[in-house]
Amino acid sequence: MANTKSKNKSKSKRREKKKASKGWMTAETADRHDLYEKSVQNTESEIDFVDDTWMKLRGRHANLLREDFCGTAQTSVEWVLRREDNRAIGVDLDEEVVDWGRRRTEGRLDEEQAARFDVLIEDVRKVDLDPVDTILAMNFSYYLFKTREGLREYFARVREGLLDGGLFFLDSYGGSESFEEMEEERDLDGFTYVWDQHHYNPISGDVINKIHFRFPDGTEMSDAFTYEWRLWTLPELQELLLEAGFSNVTVYWEGTEDDSEEGDGEFLPTTTGEACAGWIAYIVAEK
Ligand SMILES: C[S@@+](CC[C@H](N)C(=O)[O-])C[C@H]1O[C@@H](n2cnc3c(N)ncnc32)[C@H](O)[C@@H]1O
């Protein structure tokens, strides 16, 4: 028995080496920001939603966009590529991720497009810019503000940063499973994305979520990203946005595919959601 096991082991070791030498990613060769962009973000559909909502609510497209918590600023890049008169400013306080994004952007934007794109290394609560049409806070980044006062103050600063009639877009997640400590895996091209709801404190609402990446050779990039957040609920968020001075706050709930329980990627305004195990919703706050 022991012999068979060790034979299998060395066979699978050879297979792993073969995969790595054939160009498969491993924990050692992969880049965490690249994997994040590939697994977490869908900037095209995000900007489609911004465009469609602007058309429906304001009868025109926005031009000037601020992307708070921009990270690699991939969404800002998508915005600049979308129309010739679009401009984007990303804001993030982490120099390392911003520098990575800047290097990546060099290959994505030509000179004219790059002139319509900027990233500032600043705290979103302190940034002082000329007002813009629209501000985004995506992938739940604002969940890091854990008190009502702190989050209301951030929302009020966002409102000040908008032109009259401007729109603030943010996303939110929840559902019965969001209160559980559990791991969810998704197989992607050449790696597995792992969303690890590592810790939840029902008294404070604090959560610690992590992202890990696993590779075909059996290696793992553990704790590639760690988020210490408060798990806000939609009623709390709507109340705080109104308290911060927004005139109208709407939740956009995702529809369900006919033949499965999966979301269909279409988000519509509503006041009634479903008690499902896991959901993602957009919130649009109007100045
Ligand atoms: C979850 S990532 C979001 C990345 C990207 N926006 C997305 O949609 O996937 C959160 C980002 O927020 C940044 N961040 C955290 N606190 C911040 C603050 N007070 N001001 C600006 N950026 C902040 C972090 O550096 C990190 O890049």
Side-chain angles (χ1 to χ4, degrees):
M1 214 36 203
N3 257 348
T4 323
K5 260 189 170 172
S6 69
K7 258 189 201 162
N8 281 346
K9 230 180 181 177
S10 60
K11 229 186 195 174
S12 79
K13 263 203 168 151
R14 277 202 303 276
R15 259 202 311 268
E16 286 157 18
K17 275 196 171 161
K18 222 172 169 186
K19 277 177 185 170
S21 68
K22 271 188 165 175
W24 289 79
M25 277 184 278
T26 71
E28 222 171 286
T29 62
D31 180 304
R32 68 187 187 116
H33 296 305
D34 183 46
L35 297 173
Y36 178 92
E37 287 194 349
K38 285 180 172 138
S39 52
V40 176
Q41 296 191 287
N42 187 340
T43 56
E44 237 175 271
S45 61
E46 218 158 83
I47 295 300
D48 284 349
F49 180 72
V50 171
D51 273 353
D52 291 350
T53 308
W54 263 90
M55 263 305 172
K56 277 184 206 138
L57 295 181
R58 299 287 183 255
R60 68 174 179 93
H61 284 140
N63 297 125
L64 199 49
L65 173 140
R66 184 176 115 195
E67 183 191 4
D68 279 358
F69 311 100
C70 68
T72 62
Q74 197 189 183
T75 310
S76 293
V77 170
E78 174 64 26
W79 183 253
V80 163
L81 291 172
R82 193 59 71 104
R83 276 182 299 280
E84 280 177 3
D85 49 355
N86 277 0
R87 308 180 70 84
I89 305 158
V91 183
D92 198 293
L93 48 64
D94 181 354
E95 208 167 331
E96 188 258 333
V97 68
V98 168
D99 282 347
W100 189 97
R102 280 186 179 136
R103 282 195 301 278
R104 167 65 63 104
T105 303
E106 279 169 23
R108 287 181 182 175
L109 300 181
D110 64 26
E111 209 176 310
E112 181 279 323
Q113 291 159 340
R116 297 186 275 113
F117 165 83
D118 202 2
V119 180
L120 304 177
I121 298 172
E122 285 211 41
D123 190 315
V124 293
R125 292 166 295 187
K126 297 195 180 126
V127 69
D128 190 14
L129 293 164
D130 287 341
V132 295
D133 292 319
T134 205
I135 297 180
L136 314 189
M138 292 298 181
N139 273 318
F140 331 115
S141 310
Y142 63 90
Y143 279 31
L144 65 87
F145 301 132
K146 290 187 175 182
T147 64
R148 288 182 64 87
E149 294 67 36
L151 189 56
R152 192 191 304 114
E153 201 182 302
Y154 166 60
F155 287 164
R157 292 281 298 155
V158 167
R159 190 180 165 278
E160 274 171 33
L162 286 170
L163 291 160
D164 287 343
L167 302 180
F168 177 37
F169 291 79
L170 48 167
D171 57 6
S172 170
Y173 79 94
S176 51
E177 280 183 358
S178 65
F179 300 104
E180 285 177 33
E181 292 174 349
M182 57 181 264
E183 275 192 10
E184 192 182 86
E185 286 191 357
R186 205 157 25 99
D187 281 330
L188 295 166
D189 194 13
F191 67 97
T192 301
Y193 161 85
V194 186
W195 174 247
D196 174 8
Q197 293 179 179
H198 198 71
H199 172 74
Y200 170 60
N201 177 351
I203 295 179
S204 62
D206 285 358
V207 288
I208 299 176
N209 294 330
K210 295 169 179 246
I211 294 175
H212 319 292
F213 298 107
R214 295 188 183 133
F215 301 91
D217 71 340
T219 55
E220 171 163 334
M221 193 190 284
S222 299
D223 300 354
F225 297 92
T226 300
Y227 304 110
E228 297 198 17
W229 290 338
R230 169 168 166 180
L231 186 51
W232 291 97
T233 64
L234 283 170
E236 290 170 314
L237 294 170
Q238 291 169 88
E239 283 164 11
L240 285 169
L241 286 159
L242 290 170
E243 287 169 25
F246 285 96
S247 60
N248 206 14
V249 176
T250 308
V251 174
Y252 287 69
W253 194 258
E254 190 176 14
T256 311
E257 298 268 13
D258 285 339
D259 52 354
S260 72
E261 291 293 290
E262 298 294 305
D264 65 2
E266 236 199 284
F267 292 83
L268 295 173
T270 182
T271 51
T272 311
E274 292 144 59
C276 44
W279 50 258
I280 286 175
Y282 283 118
I283 309 172
V284 180
E286 299 176 47
K287 180 161 175 178

